[in-house]
């Protein structure tokens, strides 16, 4: 296992290029299972999670070859319709193959994802919706088996806004017989891109990017070529790093429109942020960082995937702030690790009261999930002395070349083998 040794206290300056979005790549690759042929995906991030998805697709007779960030995926008919426990337990997004397998073959067997570091993470909304489309669902030996002769259009009202359930059910509905009306859909840019990919494949969908989406089932789809959208969470993480320790950092290849609320909150904190016509974003740290409260919410609200990083930032603000988590109420495993660096954070249910003006000091800390880990990297950059961050395989799941990108703008981060 690898770990990072982070020497804090170095200001960052320069340019960071933003990679393709992990959370777009995973559903888009799953959508390719809907129809045979050759797909070409550009701007694919080279991440542990994209490699895991390719292993899963390989089991389902969809074989990829990567050249840089371009992926050629050859999809053929598959006799296997199972996503195994070994893969689903390392990456919950494997669950995305449920919808396409069911739509295409009338059959899918997918390991039931367990809980995770941030709570139970149920899949009830996925299952209720595919059952309403006509599938029979059984749970046996830790696997969900879904079967149907034919999926039939219906009305589905999601009880909450779920990125995964919206994506999975869209992929199931495109080949269903008749019309499916989906209410209370997630509107994240990654879901918008999935919907656009399905339309490009020949699906008939109204309401792209809306909370009400109408899908008219079609008999056939065709393969497509497309470029994955930029990773707004990677961009947001590095923008917060810039607010924390950056003198001036420029971001190339991101999409400022996908991160409007974060830009607004960083400006409230005193950062100077410029966005030009080509979406190049420059962030300049203020002399004095103001405390700013945030509350996570589904898009276009403040992303839960940037909550941990915001807490790290607020330890350096000139006063106290409140960080409220409304999407995953238990998503606070980073708090205990940030405290090891000297952070003072009081928890009251799903609200973190973050004390500002803290002098952070390097210490050994541990990664617990992708975004908790990136908050520890940011805190380590702001701390004095060395921070030893172990279990960084979590970071490798979701951040392409993170230590290289940060080192290029002046950070001191070395990857080494853990003893
Ligand atoms: C996706 C993202 C993840 C992000 C999350 C919220 C991917 C691969 N992952 O996860 O990084 O943090 O969106 O923006 O894109 N829920 C239910 N029942 C369900 C499904 C969800 O109760 O059947 C709840 C969840 O527990 C959570 C909320 O709905 O409280 C939102 O979850 P959801 O949007 O589904 O998250 P994911 O798609 O798993």
């Amino acid at each position: 296992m690898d770990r990072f040794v982070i020497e804090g206290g170095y200001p960052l300056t320069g340019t960071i290029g933003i990679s393709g979005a992990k959370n777009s790549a995973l559903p888009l690759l799953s959508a390719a299972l809907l129809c045979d042929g050759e797909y070409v995906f550009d701007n694919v991030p080279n991440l542990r999670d994209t490699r895991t998805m390719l292993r899963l697709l390989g089991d389902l007779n969809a074989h990829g070859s990567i050249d840089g960030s371009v992926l050629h995926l050859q999809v053929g008919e598959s006799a296997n319709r199972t996503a195994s426990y070994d893969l689903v337990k390392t990456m919950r997004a494997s669950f995305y193959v449920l919808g396409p397998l069911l739509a295409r073959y009338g059959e899918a067997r997918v390991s039931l994802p367990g809980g995770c570091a941030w709570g139970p993470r149920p899949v009830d909304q996925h299952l209720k919706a595919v059952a309403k489309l006509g599938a029979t669902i059984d749970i046996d030996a830790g696997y969900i088996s879904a079967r149907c002769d034919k999926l039939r259009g219906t009305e589905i009202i999601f009880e909450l806004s779920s990125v995964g359930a919206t994506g999975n059910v869209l992929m199931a509905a495109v080949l269903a017989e008749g019309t499916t009306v989906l209410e209370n859909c997630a509107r994240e840019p990654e879901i918008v891109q999935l919907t656009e990919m399905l339309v490009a494949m020949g699906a008939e969908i109204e309401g792209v990017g809306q909370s009400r989406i109408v899908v008219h089932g079609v008999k056939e789809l065709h393969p497509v070529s497309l470029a994955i959208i930029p990773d707004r969470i990677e961009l947001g993480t590095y923008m917060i790093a810039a607010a924390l320790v950056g003198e001036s950092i420029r971001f190339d290849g991101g999409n400022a429109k996908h991160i409007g609320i974060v830009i607004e909150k960083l400006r409230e904190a005193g950062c100077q942020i410029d966005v030009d016509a080509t979406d190049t974003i420059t962030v300049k740290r203020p002399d004095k960082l103001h405390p700013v409260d945030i509350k996570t919410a589904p898009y276009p609200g403040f992303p839960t995937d940037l909550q941990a990083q915001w807490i790290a930032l607020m330890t350096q603000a000139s006063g106290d702030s409140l960080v409220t988590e409304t999407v995953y109420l238990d998503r606070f495993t980073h708090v205990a690790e940030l405290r090891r660096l000297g952070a003072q954070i009081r928890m009251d249910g799903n609200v973190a009261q973050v004390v500002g003006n803290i002098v952070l000091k390097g210490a050994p800390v541990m990664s617990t999930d992708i975004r908790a880990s990136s908050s520890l990297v940011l805190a380590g950059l702001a701390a004095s002395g060395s921070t030893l961050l172990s279990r960084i395989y979590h970071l490798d799941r979701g951040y392409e070349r993170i230590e290289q990108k940060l080192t290029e703008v002046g950070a001191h981060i070395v990857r080494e083998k853990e003893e």
Side-chain angles (χ1 to χ4, degrees), residues 20-84:
K22 167 178 91 70
N23 288 353
S24 217
L26 300 176
L28 263 50
L29 292 176
S30 308
L33 291 173
L34 283 164
C35 140
D36 291 356
E38 194 189 349
Y39 297 73
V40 184
F41 295 96
D42 200 351
N43 205 29
V44 177
N46 182 0
L47 299 168
R48 186 185 280 250
D49 272 12
T50 33
R51 292 191 292 272
T52 303
M53 182 52 86
L54 285 178
R55 273 174 59 207
L56 171 55
L57 294 183
D59 288 351
L60 300 167
N61 197 22
H63 300 282
S65 67
I66 296 195
D67 181 9
S69 60
V70 179
L71 167 70
H72 290 258
L73 188 70
Q74 189 66 47
V75 182
E77 186 158 342
S78 175
N80 176 35
R81 284 100 202 242
T82 298
S84 71

Side-chain angles (χ1 to χ4, degrees), residues 22-23 26 92-93 96 118 121-126 160-165 188 304-305 327-328 331 371:
K22 167 178 91 70
N23 288 353
L26 300 176
R92 294 176 53 85
Y96 270 128
W118 3 306
R121 295 190 78 179
V123 287
D124 59 306
Q125 297 300 307
H126 303 239
L160 43 78
S161 171
S162 162
V163 175
E188 271 67 3
T304 171
D305 284 351
V327 180
Y328 287 102
R331 191 178 192 177
R371 311 304 171 187

Side-chain angles (χ1 to χ4, degrees), residues 323-379:
V323 173
T324 307
E325 175 59 66
T326 73
V327 180
Y328 287 102
L329 303 184
D330 295 336
R331 191 178 192 177
F332 286 106
T333 52
H334 42 286
V335 165
E337 299 299 311
L338 287 169
R339 284 186 185 133
R340 291 177 52 76
L341 298 174
Q344 290 179 24
I345 302 160
R346 283 189 285 277
M347 291 304 308
D348 181 7
N350 63 329
V351 182
Q353 187 185 347
V354 187
V355 176
N357 262 323
I358 293 292
V359 179
L360 298 175
K361 276 174 73 180
V365 286
M366 200 185 280
S367 287
T368 49
D369 69 62
I370 305 175
R371 311 304 171 187
S373 311
S374 65
S375 82
L376 293 169
V377 171
L378 301 194

Side-chain angles (χ1 to χ4, degrees), residues 75 127 141 143 154 183 187 257 264 331 361 398 412:
V75 182
L127 299 185
Y143 279 80
T154 181
E183 299 277 3
R187 291 177 293 148
K257 286 173 223 64
E264 206 173 295
R331 191 178 192 177
K361 276 174 73 180
H412 288 218

Side-chain angles (χ1 to χ4, degrees), residues 33-225:
L33 291 173
L34 283 164
C35 140
D36 291 356
E38 194 189 349
Y39 297 73
V40 184
F41 295 96
D42 200 351
N43 205 29
V44 177
N46 182 0
L47 299 168
R48 186 185 280 250
D49 272 12
T50 33
R51 292 191 292 272
T52 303
M53 182 52 86
L54 285 178
R55 273 174 59 207
L56 171 55
L57 294 183
D59 288 351
L60 300 167
N61 197 22
H63 300 282
S65 67
I66 296 195
D67 181 9
S69 60
V70 179
L71 167 70
H72 290 258
L73 188 70
Q74 189 66 47
V75 182
E77 186 158 342
S78 175
N80 176 35
R81 284 100 202 242
T82 298
S84 71
Y85 176 62
D86 281 349
L87 292 172
V88 180
K89 77 173 182 213
T90 59
M91 189 185 71
R92 294 176 53 85
S94 309
F95 206 69
Y96 270 128
V97 300
L98 176 81
L101 286 179
L102 188 60
R104 167 96 190 266
Y105 300 113
E107 184 184 5
R109 194 165 167 270
V110 182
S111 173
L112 191 58
C116 78
W118 3 306
R121 295 190 78 179
V123 287
D124 59 306
Q125 297 300 307
H126 303 239
L127 299 185
K128 279 186 191 164
V130 291
K132 213 159 171 221
L133 283 165
T136 312
I137 312 275
D138 289 304
I139 298 180
D140 179 37
Y143 279 80
I144 289 167
S145 290
R147 280 202 174 72
C148 64
D149 289 335
K150 184 80 203 149
L151 294 175
R152 291 207 164 74
T154 181
E155 187 188 27
I156 293 164
I157 305 174
F158 293 113
E159 289 161 36
L160 43 78
S161 171
S162 162
V163 175
T166 304
N168 232 336
V169 176
L170 271 172
M171 290 188 275
V174 287
L175 289 176
E177 209 173 83
T179 296
T180 303
V181 179
L182 302 173
E183 299 277 3
N184 198 20
C185 293
R187 291 177 293 148
E188 271 67 3
E190 296 76 20
I191 289 298
V192 174
Q193 183 166 43
L194 171 65
T195 319
E196 286 169 351
M197 170 173 169
L198 294 170
V199 169
M201 288 171 72
E204 285 181 22
I205 303 179
E206 295 165 45
V208 178
Q210 310 291 312
S211 66
R212 181 175 194 269
I213 298 179
V214 180
V215 184
H216 304 287
V218 294
K219 290 208 162 49
E220 267 188 346
L221 298 168
H222 54 81
V224 288
S225 298

